[in-house]
Amino acid sequence: MWLYLVAVLAGLYLLRRWHRERQLVPRLSEKYVLITGCDSGFGNLLARQLDARGLRVLAACLTEAGAAQLRAAASPRLQTVLLDVTSSQSIAAATAWVRERVGDQGLWGLVNNAGTAIPTAPNEWLTKDDFVKVLDVNLVGLIEVTLSLLPLVRQAQGRVVNVASVMGRISFFGGGYCISKFGVEAFSDSLRIEMRSFGVKVSTIEPGYFRTMITNVENLEKNFLSIWGKLPEETKASYGENYLKEFLVSLRKMEKKYNSNLTLVTDCMEHALTSRFPRTRYSAGWDAKLFYIPLSYLPSALTDVILAGSYPKPA
């Protein structure tokens, strides 16, 4: 009897949630959305996806080549701006550019998508500057962009969508990437609470492993080999050449598991921008839903054993 009642209540809850999440924000064609990191990957696809949906997309690219390629693939409605999220001057210029375009209407959506994973390696192989290079893009840059544009988002009572990762829930490789994504989760949580009274909604996207420039194996291999070449001989001896070789082999194995369907992520971003009732968090990819996020709830002693099994053994 109790199990039947629980099943009925759970079904009613899911039905109500499904109904709420299908309700769209009105007049989407009048709303401006700024997306960072549109040269490739999630940002590029989302810009084209929202443009096709009729929204007024402001796409921030790091390079002119990336901006030109995106403009050629989209409607004349889409506009691009060059933005380096590690440069305060570039952020200030982009903010002024956005303000000119949105006017009194404000900025409905800000999607913080720009990111990098390199340099990455076992923590002991890295320097402070290696960590800073990633944190400046993924966390500090994201924060400065958000703070600069937040008055325009408040004006529109709009949305902030921050791209974190399942590596913001569980960390099992070295470098600044996981640290930065944990920081994105923390910043998003505090911002969501602060903006609640202003009518601004903040969502966090937590993708699993997808085939993008960030996960490009050739780039990661070059990164590992370059860092290995700079290590002191004592450190190399402690880890051993075989450690490096096995690390590179594990990268190739991981590549086979990458998900190529980037729309699983961009659909989450689109929902966060267009639904009247967006979710606080979106997990994208079965690896995120069924492995990494559940793993993050297990006792640390257990997760350590599970994840350490994929590590090569040092000399």
Side-chain angles (χ1 to χ4, degrees):
M1 178 64 182
W2 285 110
L3 287 176
Y4 176 76
L5 180 60
V6 168
V8 169
L9 291 175
L12 290 173
Y13 167 76
L14 292 173
L15 184 62
R16 178 177 179 272
R17 184 169 119 164
W18 174 81
H19 174 69
R20 279 168 56 89
E21 290 188 347
R22 281 175 57 86
Q23 299 178 44
L24 296 179
V25 172
R27 301 189 300 277
L28 285 173
S29 62
E30 301 174 9
K31 299 188 183 301
Y32 287 91
V33 176
L34 176 75
I35 309 163
T36 68
C38 290
D39 296 76
S40 63
F42 301 136
N44 186 280
L45 178 58
L46 179 65
R48 291 183 281 117
Q49 191 169 319
L50 295 182
D51 178 58
R53 187 79 185 266
L55 279 80
R56 301 181 181 184
V57 177
L58 306 175
C61 298
L62 180 61
T63 67
E64 179 54 47
Q69 179 271 332
L70 180 54
R71 286 195 300 270
S75 77
R77 187 175 49 248
L78 181 143
Q79 301 178 67
T80 61
V81 62
L82 296 184
L83 174 61
D84 177 356
V85 299
T86 66
S87 166
S88 295
Q89 183 178 358
S90 179
I91 292 172
T95 300
W97 180 87
V98 171
R99 185 177 289 112
E100 288 178 4
R101 275 142 189 84
V102 303
D104 295 336
Q105 184 176 332
L107 181 65
W108 171 255
L110 167 61
V111 182
N112 284 305
N113 166 74
T116 185
I118 292 175
T120 183
N123 288 308
E124 190 181 5
W125 298 11
L126 300 170
T127 65
K128 173 188 172 183
D129 286 343
D130 291 329
F131 285 87
V132 169
K133 286 176 184 175
V134 178
L135 290 167
D136 274 350
V137 176
N138 294 1
L139 181 58
V140 179
L142 178 149
I143 291 172
E144 186 172 4
V145 168
T146 303
L147 298 181
S148 298
L149 291 165
L150 201 54
L152 295 176
V153 179
R154 277 198 295 103
Q155 186 178 350
Q157 292 189 313
R159 309 286 170 82
V160 177
V161 180
N162 291 329
V163 181
S165 168
V166 288
M167 296 300 111
R169 300 285 290 271
I170 186 166
S171 176
F172 72 92
F173 59 84
Y177 186 80
C178 296
I179 297 169
S180 70
K181 295 305 182 180
F182 267 78
V184 170
E185 294 273 0
F187 176 65
S188 300
D189 285 349
S190 60
L191 186 68
R192 187 179 64 252
I193 296 167
E194 293 168 353
M195 289 294 105
R196 185 182 179 93
S197 297
F198 292 99
V200 173
K201 293 181 170 62
V202 180
S203 297
T204 307
I205 312 296
E206 299 171 336
Y209 277 94
F210 285 82
R211 195 176 300 278
T212 67
M213 287 304 296
I214 284 183
T215 57
N216 182 275
V217 170
E218 286 73 20
N219 292 340
L220 290 170
E221 284 182 344
K222 289 177 184 176
N223 152 80
F224 277 119
L225 292 170
S226 173
I227 292 171
W228 176 263
K230 299 173 185 175
L231 291 178
E233 291 303 320
E234 179 185 354
T235 305
K236 288 183 179 179
S238 295
Y239 284 85
E241 291 278 351
N242 198 53
Y243 189 96
L244 174 65
K245 291 177 182 176
E246 288 187 28
F247 223 114
L248 297 178
V249 169
S250 68
L251 269 182
R252 287 293 177 183
K253 289 181 179 178
M254 179 67 78
E255 182 186 27
K256 296 176 182 178
K257 300 177 183 177
Y258 289 168
N259 195 325
S260 298
N261 185 9
L262 304 190
T263 57
L264 293 175
V265 178
T266 57
D267 283 350
C268 292
M269 297 172 171
E270 181 180 334
H271 187 272
L273 292 165
T274 61
S275 173
R276 286 185 59 202
F277 301 99
R279 299 181 187 180
T280 298
R281 283 181 169 82
Y282 293 84
S283 58
W286 289 115
D287 57 339
K289 296 175 188 294
L290 299 181
F291 182 69
Y292 291 110
I293 290 178
L295 197 65
S296 71
Y297 289 104
L298 296 180
S300 296
L302 183 55
T303 60
D304 287 354
V305 171
I306 294 171
L307 296 175
S310 63
Y311 267 65
K313 303 298 180 185

